[in-house]
Amino acid sequence: MYEFSFNFAETLNLLTMTKNFKAKKLRILVFLAGVAYFLMFINSFVEGWDDFKQGFADGWSNNHAAWGYSIFSVSSVDGVKFVPDTLVNKVNNQGASVISQTLNVRAPLTITGLSKVLFMLNMFVLMPVISIAIVLIPIYFFRILQLIERHLYFDDRCIHLLHKLGIATFVVYFGFILNGFFHFYIENHLFSFSDFKVNIPVIDNMWLMFGILAFIIAELLSKAKSLKEEQELTI
């Protein structure tokens, strides 16, 4: 005959270990997500920092006659394969340095009229709004994970935070689109080169995908919460 024995203490200990492992796993995922977001943010910041410092120094040394330097991408109009070291801006006959083989151009930026208005609007309104949204995204994300760790999946706070997360990512995405439009308008009106044209800035669609995903998860949790409440009322 088989003997069956049940050790309640060992079973409870096993369940506790499993629960602790899941909690640790979630904390590890939270940590890795935070590191990835931080590195992505730092990488974007570092890429433009040297250009910002150089442009600011150049503009200051010119007694504010120029607004520093603008760095933008151009492409050949008629399939020109030769990459010159310098392009001549036909608007003011100033030189623009080609700083990479991918045709990134660095040129003095002197703006007036509508270009100046757009530049100021972008610098002092749009970019601060984008920066605030970028800071809020990890805050919302970690608050959501705290609720999930407490098993409050269907809590209204979790759904509300997901909506906020989606809105913040949309603000970043469409803010970058507007920022790219401002830059393209300014550079397209201030610079004109023979055989080359100013390119429209490329926008990373990652922010859009994150925003849509946040709204989809929020909608799924909202539907699941409604079904759960209906079942509880039926019982």
Side-chain angles (χ1 to χ4, degrees):
M1 295 180 62
Y2 292 99
E3 293 185 1
F4 175 78
S5 61
F6 178 77
N7 191 318
F8 180 76
E10 289 184 0
T11 303
L12 183 61
N13 185 45
L14 180 62
L15 291 174
T16 303
M17 289 176 61
T18 303
K19 185 176 180 181
N20 291 337
F21 173 74
K22 290 181 177 179
K24 289 181 179 178
K25 185 168 68 172
L26 181 60
R27 293 189 185 99
I28 292 172
L29 291 174
V30 170
F31 174 76
L32 292 176
V35 170
Y37 188 82
F38 177 75
L39 291 176
M40 181 180 67
F41 177 76
I42 291 298
N43 183 59
S44 300
F45 179 78
V46 170
E47 283 180 353
W49 177 244
D50 291 336
D51 297 331
F52 171 80
K53 288 193 300 181
Q54 184 62 47
F56 182 82
D58 291 334
W60 189 267
S61 63
N62 290 332
N63 296 320
H64 314 293
W67 293 73
Y69 280 73
S70 178
I71 295 179
F72 52 94
S73 173
V74 298
S75 58
S76 62
V77 177
D78 299 318
V80 178
K81 295 183 179 180
F82 173 72
V83 180
D85 294 329
T86 304
L87 298 177
V88 178
N89 183 8
K90 293 190 294 184
V91 175
N92 55 16
N93 292 321
Q94 289 184 335
S97 302
V98 178
I99 59 177
S100 71
Q101 292 297 311
T102 56
L103 287 179
N104 286 327
V105 174
R106 181 173 179 269
L109 184 64
T110 304
I111 53 178
T112 57
L114 181 57
S115 295
K116 182 177 180 180
V117 173
L118 293 179
F119 183 87
M120 299 294 286
L121 184 63
N122 182 67
M123 179 68 69
F124 297 107
V125 177
L126 184 59
M127 293 311 297
V129 170
I130 294 175
S131 300
I132 291 172
I134 289 175
V135 171
L136 287 175
I137 287 172
I139 295 175
Y140 293 149
F141 180 72
F142 290 131
R143 288 175 64 184
I144 290 169
L145 289 176
Q146 285 177 346
L147 291 173
I148 293 175
E149 190 174 5
R150 293 158 54 191
H151 305 290
L152 300 175
Y153 313 105
F154 307 117
D155 193 285
D156 287 334
R157 291 173 294 176
C158 188
I159 298 172
H160 187 57
L161 284 169
L162 279 167
H163 283 141
K164 285 186 174 181
L165 180 63
I167 291 172
T169 53
F170 279 171
V171 167
V172 174
Y173 178 71
F174 291 107
F176 279 145
I177 289 179
L178 197 55
N179 172 68
F181 168 76
F182 286 166
H183 277 284
F184 177 72
Y185 177 88
I186 293 170
E187 290 150 1
N188 201 46
H189 281 72
L190 297 181
F191 303 103
S192 177
F193 307 108
S194 298
D195 301 322
F196 293 91
K197 64 179 180 179
V198 177
N199 292 331
I200 299 175
V202 178
I203 307 301
D204 191 349
N205 292 322
M206 175 190 67
W207 299 104
L208 178 63
M209 291 188 292
F210 281 167
I212 293 174
L213 182 61
F215 278 108
I216 290 174
I217 295 174
E219 187 64 23
L220 290 174
L221 290 179
S222 180
K223 294 292 184 183
K225 180 174 179 286
S226 299
L227 291 174
K228 182 184 177 186
E229 290 175 349
E230 289 178 4
Q231 290 178 351
E232 289 175 350
L233 288 174
T234 303
I235 294 174

